[in-house]
Amino acid sequence: MSSRPAPPGPAYRRLSVAQRREQLILTAQRLFARNVPEDVSLDDVARAAGVSRPLVYRYFPGGKQQLYEAALQHAADDLRDCFAVPPAGPLSERLASGVDRYLAFVDEHAEGFTALLKGGSVVETSRTSAIVDGVRRAAAQQVLIHLEVEQPGRRLGMTLRTWITAVEAASLIWLDEDRQPPVEELRDWLVEQLLLQITVTALQDGETARVLLRAAELEPVGGRVDSLIERLRMMMPLVSPRPSA
Amino acid sequence: MSSRPAPPGPAYRRLSVAQRREQLILTAQRLFARNVPEDVSLDDVARAAGVSRPLVYRYFPGGKQQLYEAALQHAADDLRDCFAVPPAGPLSERLASGVDRYLAFVDEHAEGFTALLKGGSVVETSRTSAIVDGVRRAAAQQVLIHLEVEQPGRRLGMTLRTWITAVEAASLIWLDEDRQPPVEELRDWLVEQLLLQITVTALQDGETARVLLRAAELEPVGGRVDSLIERLRMMMPLVSPRPSA
């Protein structure tokens, strides 16, 4: 390694402090998304950003760990926005849009997403865990906004949180299995899982039942919920212990 | 700390090597179940087992970490047995028995279970993660036995694995919320979640549909599936976009 400062790379431009910081974070986010953290060095980030290593250190004196956390926080903010779809139209379509955006993020950030959620990475700390937990809470919060619930009861809260865990687990399996089933099929499956999970909770819990009935009013004939109910109606006589009429 | 060997405690008995090892593991398992790993020392284990600290070291030269892993493996074997209910009777009842046993385990091992699954504990290593993953795989395998499936297709496999993740997440939330809802309600909810998750997958996947129809044949009138279908039948017209007939 030479001690001379690296010459400005091809992408070198005069940027303000805020712009440079943003550029370094975005570069790091891209590298951490497509590689496990162990395989990304500060030199890689400097090279990809077309700047010198000392410059990266000037912005991130904590080195790789600090840059990783900044990139993770940036990715977390993106992820948090996934479920912030416009609060208009049927609930099932809003959920489908949210899950679509989430799965596009997972697809794009496959390596980093897997390394982060499988745990055991050297860059994992209580701070990175807190960032991930923050995304989970924000996702649940977004779904609650679509359900028009400010403070969920225990049962509805548990339902949403377990669904979000299930979405994460299914995403990891999906990446692991070469992105099978096709993303639209996975999306529909995850949306229908949530709709029926809310329904199962509604069978036990009055608050959840009221939320479900209110959300159902916006569902159109021929929409996702209508289609789900139709298919369930056809399935039921086949699995019902009573002979169908 | 004195360098003299601790006198034999009240529980001291002459045990064979295998018996002593088992006694130490069971003692450690009990302590690790009810405390976070950080709060359990080798002295605590020695004291609770009524033996000297050097004796514990003779059996576990790797000290606390080795003892923790042995206790975890022992707990994992117990947990693995939860879903090994007799393969007779309706699927829904077998699942309910399995979930009952699982939740009793969670209840009994609350502190250790939470520390283990929340991660970030000092005793967490790739070996402990492998033990936990082994339990998840074994649980999925047990459910497959009840479904009479040897090698599941991708979709059924994903369904079971995401359900097991959801069961874990719901258990952690349940402990966190002072064991609310009541355990029977949580059990019924988890069983109905799986039944409907399999159903949702069956709507997309032929193999899962065949497995579901075969399992349904064993369900009695007035049983869990019958009750679930009845309640869904009553709910459906309320959420259906079509006016009910």
Side-chain angles (χ1 to χ4, degrees), chain A residues 124 129 133, chain B residues 112-121 124 172-173 176:
Chain A
E124 200 182 320
S129 302
D133 276 344
Chain B
F113 181 83
T114 305
L116 182 68
L117 293 184
K118 281 200 172 163
S121 168
E124 200 181 319
L172 283 173
I173 297 170
D176 208 40

Side-chain angles (χ1 to χ4, degrees), chain A residues 154-155 159 162 165 169-170 177 180 185 189 193 196-197 200-202 204 219-220 226 232 235-236 241-242, chain B residues 154-155 159 162 165 169-170 177 180 185 189 193 196-197 200-202 204 219-220 226 232 235-236 241-242:
Chain A
R154 188 170 267 150
R155 302 304 309 281
T159 305
T162 57
T165 316
E177 300 201 333
Q180 285 298 320
E185 214 173 307
W189 183 73
Q193 291 288 358
L196 282 182
Q197 281 170 30
V200 166
T201 308
Q204 286 184 345
E219 296 290 330
D226 193 23
L232 283 176
M235 179 74 89
M236 276 183 172
R242 295 170 199 271
Chain B
R154 187 169 268 152
R155 303 304 310 280
T159 306
T162 56
T165 315
E177 302 201 331
Q180 285 299 320
E185 214 174 305
W189 183 73
Q193 291 288 358
L196 282 183
Q197 281 171 30
V200 167
T201 308
Q204 286 184 345
E219 296 291 329
D226 193 21
L232 283 176
M235 179 75 86
M236 276 182 174
R242 294 169 199 273

Side-chain angles (χ1 to χ4, degrees), chain A residues 37-56:
Chain A
E38 284 72 1
D39 291 350
V40 179
S41 71
L42 225 66
D43 280 324
D44 294 330
V45 177
R47 199 175 309 117
V51 302
S52 69
R53 183 185 163 92
L55 183 76
V56 180

Side-chain angles (χ1 to χ4, degrees), chain B residues 44-63:
Chain B
D44 294 330
V45 177
R47 199 175 308 115
V51 303
S52 69
R53 183 185 164 91
L55 183 76
V56 180
Y57 263 113
R58 201 181 315 150
Y59 280 82
F60 297 94

Side-chain angles (χ1 to χ4, degrees), chain A residues 213-230:
Chain A
L213 296 187
R214 190 175 54 216
E217 283 174 18
L218 296 173
E219 296 290 330
V221 171
R224 287 178 179 275
V225 166
D226 193 23
S227 151
L228 175 60
I229 291 180
E230 274 313 295

